[in-house]
Structures are given as C-alpha cells and as structure tokens.
Amino acid sequence: MLLQPLIMSDNPDDESDSSVITRTRTKTKRPPLYKVLLLNDDYTPMEFVVHVLERFFGMTHAQAFEIMLTVHKKGIAVVGVFSHEIAETKVMQVIDFARRHQHPLQCTMEKEDWAAPNVAAPDLWLPRTDP
C-alpha cells in the first residue's frame, strides 16, 4: 500500500501552499436540573416521611428529620436536585411508595433556577451566576 501526502491545494503540483485545517468544536450545554419537592399534608406520619427521605434520597436519619420538620413547618421543602429523568423517577417512586402504604404524601418537581450549595438548607441558596 502506497501512502500519498495530503495536499490542500487545487493545483496538485503546488507544494508551497500550506493550508490549515481547523475543526470546530461544539460546546455542550449542561442539562437543566430539577428540584424534587415534598409537600406537607395532615395525614402522613412524620416517621413515614423520614423513612421516605432515607430510602429514596439517601439521607441520614438526622438529615431526613430536619427536612421532614421543614416540610411540616413550611408546607414544602426541596429534597434534592437532579437531572430531569432522575427527578421524575424519584417523584414516581415516592408517590407509588406512599400509595402502597395508604398515605396521601405528595411529591413533585420543578425546574431549578438557583444554585444549591446545601440542599438541606434552601434558605442559603444563592442565585446562579453562570450564563
């Protein structure tokens, strides 16, 4: 097999032309994130909410207890921030688990507009600064 040099000129005899091939890279955007929210109700036991937070969101008992109290006092709390698919899955898991145990616990998701340095303390969230 005989290899020939790649010449970037219309004239095959012109070896003085030194063209540069540039490759354009597309900059990929990070996918949007979604907050998973737990809503308060008057019927779901507090210990069940703690169990849900430990099981589906990987929280320690102390973290889950703190979030449960936030839900109880404020009516709603962010329990995690995830990609769309993961957030959607977590919402469905929580709702299905609550229904199987005959609790009216509500869980929902919404597009995240804030940077969350600490999910357990939504009061400390800062506005995003990236474009």
Side-chain angles (χ1 to χ4, degrees), residues 27-108:
K27 190 171 183 178
T28 56
K29 233 179 157 178
R30 288 183 178 234
L33 296 176
Y34 290 79
K35 298 182 283 191
V36 175
L37 306 160
L38 209 56
L39 287 75
N40 188 41
D41 64 73
D42 294 334
Y43 304 101
T44 305
M46 291 180 176
E47 197 53 44
F48 182 80
V49 175
V50 170
H51 178 67
V52 164
L53 293 168
E54 291 171 344
R55 179 175 179 160
F56 296 106
F57 298 95
M59 295 183 187
T60 65
H61 187 75
Q63 291 169 327
F65 192 82
E66 184 179 333
I67 294 291
M68 177 274 299
L69 286 178
T70 302
V71 171
H72 181 69
K73 291 176 184 175
K74 295 187 177 182
I76 192 167
V78 175
V79 296
V81 180
F82 308 96
S83 67
H84 185 272
E85 292 79 15
I86 293 174
E88 191 173 49
T89 300
K90 297 233 182 238
V91 167
M92 295 311 294
Q93 288 174 329
V94 169
I95 291 172
D96 290 344
F97 189 71
R99 295 301 165 268
R100 278 187 306 208
H101 290 85
Q102 300 178 345
H103 296 299
L105 183 64
Q106 289 294 307
C107 187
T108 188

